[in-house]
Amino acid sequence: MNENIEAINLRVQALRAAIELHNYRYYVLDNPTLPDAEYDRLFHELQQLELDYPHLITASSPTQRVGAVPLSAFSQISHRLPMLSLNNAFDAAEVEAFDRRVREGLGAACVEYAVEPKFDGLAVSLCYENGIFKTGATRGDGNTGEDITLNLKTIKSIPLSLPVAHPPSILEVRGEVLMLKADFLKLNQRQLARGEKEFANPRNAAAGSLRQLDPGITANRRLTFFAYGIGLHDDAQMPTDTHSQVLNYLGRLHFPVARECRVVSGLQSLLDYFDAIAMQRERLPYAIDGVVYKVNALAQQEKLGFVSRAPRFAVAHKFPAEEAVTELLAIDVQVGRTGALTPVARLKPVFVGGVTVTNATLHNAGEIERKNVRIGDTVIVRRAGDVIPEIVSVIVEKRPANAHIFVMPASCPVCGAKAVRLDGEAVSRCTGGLFCPAQRKQAILHFASRRAMDIEGLGGKLVDQIVDQAIVRTPADLYRLGIAALANVERMADKSANNVIAAIESSKSTTLARFIYALGIRNVGEATAKDLAAHLGSMDRLMQASSEQLMQVPDIGPIVAQSIVDFFAEAHNREVIEQLRACGVHWDEHAGISASAGVVSPLNGKTFVLTGTLPTMSREEAKEKIEALGGKVTGSVSKKTDYVVVGVDPGSKYDKAMHLGVAILDESGLASLLGSSTILNE
Ligand code: IVH
């Protein structure tokens, strides 16, 4: 009997390996060697065996790519190494400046670069533990993303297990999820046939598919992945010389790597690569919005380091924005969160940069004057990436006789309050404050937005209705909403009302940085909110801080400091904060503070255990460094341990870490984690 079970187990494993190899050949190499019918036969055999012997099922079995039950919400994953962004270059001069900075930084006459397409998709991080795909996350804000593991598992070009005998205990692969143009067209045909909404472009389709709570839906939308780098790992096999070797290695681990990646030398070859890819762009199977140049030698990358949130050793050379000609039908005035009155151009629909554009921003009255725009004009619209389309210029020769000048209204078109334009400001503002329904709506939408309190389902239409019906006046009212009140809102089904109430409830547990950002204080964006949270550590301290104290926080100047002081000087704002707290909105006051202020540290709040002798650092030294960056060092390994740092002759703590699946680092892994904290401090 046992022998029989053993044989079945071996067969199950052989089937899994064959199926995954076929997936690799089919989805990555585009070179299947197995007829579809044979593949189906193997898959059914595996399914049947797993049905008969359920104890043999593992999470990394190819049968487990689909079939998970829908989630009620995505949970958050904090990236162990932050996911950074790239600086952009928009023309040859900016690329030349990049190459010059690199050469000067390295003291080299000519530099070798790895060059790659810049995929127009969504950045994700894939974590493999002991060779098994364990978790996958979106980039989010770079430090924390959403756990989309189940959706990523449905992507057949992502290996569920690494095809190596001795996999590393941890390997994080980074790359982009996209939808191939052909799959995008098929999806839109399907949407159309079913009377459902078409997607504007492959990127939106990929984003919409990845953010599904039901992995079954994601599985039906064929997505693709391309690897372009690595994150935290302890892989002894990982090449240490060049980025191109790292990509080749990822290819050997069966990750898809773009065929268009090359290694070139010197400025001219960068520009040649850009031109060559621009020529191929239309014919490429996936959408790109430029190319990326990365210094190839890893030692040189390290030497150049990072500035702010982007590496000095890489740049994205973006394709120019796309433009089209259309007619300006009308100019409406929109009221923003801070009362700014923005003229918005209503355009005759025109297809540009992959989407149909009907609106474009005109920024302010001065801009309309400068560009000599009149209603009725024929205009050139530009759309770059996800940025709001804008009017570039007017074709004056085509101006009709009845074209007329736009006049900025003297009062708010929504609440009728006086509109004023302060000295030195380009925009007119409604003076109605939160009494203006438009400002109130925008403030609530901002409060609920993803980077703020993240209340899913509280979108523009719903906010319009609950504010217009005076069900909600301030963000605090959201937390007093009952199902009954929401159910009265037009077209709100019970289920979605319940979902919104649940999302509001779960938003109560937040972070200080998100809460500060959510308040919508003028001039306080997400990064400033994080700095304030990290440095002041508590809401009360922030509310009491003087302008001088606020200016002690790096990057906060007199204007931002004054906006903060003004905000908290308003009794109404303090009251809303008190009400929000009373309704149960809470955060961990000191979670954002790292021991050494100013350092954004992936070690913050993480628990480490040290075992064995480290090659160059003494234990005390390692402990000191970890603690200086906000980490904690404890004596024993448990499920709560984040990392075990292993030296020579480790003790039983190592075995326990392996058993519990805790991330294991060697000294160089620890050093790179320590290093990644300081880079953010530059
Ligand atoms: S490297 C440290 N390589 O561009 C920088 N990024 O602005 C790590 N992207 O969020 C990124 N193609 O989603 C890199 N070949 C490529 C890329 C690429 C697209 C995206 C990525 C990232 C954004 C950075």
Side-chain angles (χ1 to χ4, degrees):
M1 183 62 184
N2 271 347
E3 259 170 49
N4 189 20
I5 286 284
E6 186 56 21
I8 285 164
N9 194 7
L10 285 176
R11 177 69 187 155
V12 162
Q13 299 205 18
L15 285 167
R16 284 178 188 158
I19 290 168
E20 281 296 274
L21 186 63
H22 176 76
N23 279 338
Y24 171 63
R25 292 205 174 117
Y26 189 97
Y27 293 100
V28 181
L29 301 181
D30 201 10
N31 182 20
T33 46
L34 209 58
D36 284 358
E38 179 61 9
Y39 174 83
D40 290 345
R41 203 191 58 69
L42 296 178
F43 200 87
H44 285 138
E45 186 185 343
L46 178 60
Q47 273 180 326
Q48 192 56 53
L49 285 172
E50 288 183 348
L51 208 62
D52 295 343
Y53 304 91
H55 67 283
L56 293 181
I57 299 178
T58 61
S60 63
S61 171
T63 57
Q64 306 301 302
R65 283 190 182 269
V66 213
V69 288
L71 300 171
S72 56
F74 293 117
S75 53
Q76 304 273 310
I77 285 193
S78 60
H79 300 301
R80 293 195 255 194
L81 283 181
M83 290 182 79
L84 305 179
S85 59
L86 291 168
N87 287 323
N88 292 326
F90 288 99
D91 55 31
E94 288 180 6
V95 176
E96 190 183 346
F98 161 74
D99 177 60
R100 189 176 344 107
R101 285 193 301 273
V102 166
R103 282 187 290 107
E104 284 169 5
L106 297 173
C110 181
V111 174
E112 184 178 273
Y113 294 98
V115 294
E116 304 166 7
K118 184 168 189 301
F119 308 104
D120 197 7
L122 293 108
V124 296
S125 143
L126 312 175
C127 272
Y128 288 79
E129 289 175 22
N130 301 310
I132 304 295
F133 176 51
K134 274 281 154 63
T135 51
T138 60
R139 176 174 185 270
D141 64 4
N143 293 317
T144 313
E146 281 178 329
D147 182 344
I148 50 163
T149 311
L150 297 177
N151 290 347
L152 289 169
K153 274 177 102 169
T154 69
I155 302 179
K156 303 251 183 49
S157 52
I158 293 180
L160 293 181
S161 54
L162 301 179
V164 285
H166 303 289
S169 59
I170 181 120
L171 171 63
E172 188 187 342
V173 175
R174 290 181 175 177
E176 199 94 344
V177 167
L178 14 104
M179 188 176 283
L180 296 183
K181 290 175 188 168
D183 294 326
F184 165 70
L185 292 176
K186 274 187 226 153
L187 171 64
N188 264 357
Q189 277 167 6
R190 217 167 68 197
Q191 295 285 103
L192 205 62
R194 289 185 189 159
E196 286 173 28
K197 207 173 142 248
E198 287 176 275
F199 291 96
N201 52 40
R203 185 180 189 283
N204 287 4
S209 308
L210 256 196
R211 292 204 78 250
Q212 292 291 336
L213 289 168
D214 180 356
I217 298 181
T218 314
N220 279 327
R221 312 261 180 91
R222 198 193 268 189
L223 294 168
T224 303
F225 172 77
F226 281 104
Y228 55 61
I230 50 170
L232 189 75
H233 74 90
D234 64 352
D235 189 349
Q237 305 304 314
M238 182 65 72
T240 52
D241 286 346
T242 61
H243 176 72
S244 51
Q245 286 174 348
V246 169
L247 291 187
N248 285 337
Y249 176 70
L250 291 177
R252 290 202 295 281
L253 292 183
H254 289 184
F255 290 96
V257 175
R259 288 177 197 172
E260 292 75 21
C261 295
R262 300 278 180 278
V263 174
V264 302
S265 282
L267 170 66
Q268 190 52 49
S269 63
L270 296 181
L271 301 175
D272 291 345
Y273 179 73
F274 178 81
D275 290 341
I277 294 290
M279 295 275 291
Q280 292 175 39
R281 184 178 182 187
E282 288 305 310
R283 275 173 285 128
L284 287 178
Y286 46 80
I288 59 173
D289 57 351
V291 296
V292 184
Y293 309 137
K294 301 173 182 171
V295 170
N296 198 23
L298 300 178
Q300 291 187 332
Q301 288 194 357
E302 200 172 322
K303 186 164 177 200
L304 288 163
F306 299 78
V307 61
S308 179
R309 311 274 303 151
R312 282 203 196 86
F313 55 78
V315 76
H317 187 177
K318 302 280 279 279
F319 293 132
E322 293 185 43
E323 297 181 351
V325 173
T326 187
E327 265 171 57
L328 173 59
L329 304 175
I331 297 180
D332 293 344
V333 174
Q334 268 180 3
V335 187
R337 178 162 58 83
T338 57
L341 300 186
T342 309
V344 178
R346 304 292 177 211
L347 304 168
K348 190 167 160 199
V350 60
F351 197 69
V352 45
V355 301
T356 302
V357 169
T358 51
N359 302 319
T361 176
L362 281 160
H363 301 291
N364 53 58
E367 173 102 351
I368 296 180
E369 241 168 78
R370 247 189 327 278
K371 289 188 174 159
N372 182 19
V373 177
R374 307 230 176 127
I375 299 162
D377 268 341
T378 296
V379 294
I380 298 178
V381 254
R382 174 190 292 163
R383 181 181 171 275
D386 266 355
V387 185
I388 305 171
E390 58 170 357
I391 290 190
V392 188
S393 59
V394 171
I395 306 179
V396 184
E397 302 79 66
K398 292 201 172 173
R399 176 165 289 163
N402 63 353
H404 54 285
I405 290 179
F406 165 79
V407 184
M408 199 70 188
S411 56
C412 170
V414 175
C415 73
K418 210 168 124 203
V420 293
R421 188 161 152 189
L422 298 178
D423 283 350
E425 279 209 357
V427 294
S428 306
R429 286 180 198 279
C430 156
T431 51
L434 286 177
F435 295 102
C436 172
Q439 291 193 47
R440 213 178 304 144
K441 285 175 188 172
Q442 293 296 330
I444 289 167
L445 273 175
H446 171 79
F447 181 84
S449 64
R450 201 131 84 79
R451 299 267 165 103
M453 301 298 280
D454 194 16
I455 306 178
E456 201 166 330
L458 199 70
K461 287 207 182 102
L462 181 55
V463 169
D464 276 352
Q465 298 189 61
I466 54 182
V467 171
D468 289 343
Q469 295 176 22
I471 301 173
V472 166
R473 290 176 162 274
T474 74
D477 292 337
L478 292 173
Y479 295 92
R480 303 181 191 121
L481 268 181
I483 289 280
L486 268 194
N488 276 336
V489 171
E490 212 186 319
R491 281 202 291 274
M492 185 97 189
D494 265 7
K495 187 165 171 238
S496 33
N498 275 320
N499 287 348
V500 172
I501 298 281
I504 293 174
E505 185 61 31
S506 77
S507 77
K508 282 184 182 172
S509 169
T510 186
T511 64
L512 179 56
R514 276 177 177 271
F515 186 73
I516 296 171
Y517 174 59
L519 293 174
I521 306 170
R522 247 178 104 185
N523 300 313
V524 176
E526 206 184 354
T528 307
K530 279 186 185 160
D531 288 345
L532 289 167
H535 282 80
L536 295 166
S538 88
M539 196 62 210
D540 291 332
R541 231 175 285 152
L542 174 64
M543 287 167 76
Q544 285 149 17
S546 66
S547 189
E548 291 69 34
Q549 285 166 330
L550 290 166
M551 275 155 61
Q552 304 284 314
V553 178
D555 293 337
I556 292 198
I559 295 179
V560 180
Q562 196 54 49
S563 302
I564 298 168
V565 170
D566 290 348
F567 182 88
F568 291 115
E570 287 271 347
H572 166 82
N573 290 334
R574 287 202 308 274
E575 225 168 84
V576 170
I577 293 169
E578 276 332 304
Q579 289 171 6
L580 286 165
R581 281 167 152 169
C583 290
V585 174
H586 65 278
W587 52 86
D588 185 356
E589 288 262 285
H590 297 281
I593 310 187
S594 48
S596 85
V599 179
V600 183
S601 164
L603 283 77
N604 218 348
K606 302 277 190 226
T607 306
F608 289 73
V609 172
L610 306 170
T611 176
T613 314
L614 299 178
T616 69
M617 255 187 250
S618 74
R619 281 246 203 147
E620 264 323 295
E621 217 179 311
K623 183 164 185 272
E624 250 174 53
K625 286 187 174 165
I626 291 169
E627 288 174 351
L629 290 167
K632 203 167 79 185
V633 178
T634 64
S636 61
V637 181
S638 74
K639 265 196 269 178
K640 290 199 179 129
T641 311
D642 293 291
Y643 299 99
V644 171
V645 184
V646 178
V648 181
D649 288 336
S652 60
K653 289 173 192 167
Y654 176 60
D655 302 326
K656 184 143 185 216
M658 293 287 281
H659 178 69
L660 292 175
V662 175
I664 292 171
L665 296 175
D666 60 6
E667 189 185 291
S668 73
L670 174 64
S672 73
L673 204 57
L674 293 167
S676 72
S677 306
T678 43
I679 54 177
L680 295 175
N681 199 22
E682 281 176 31

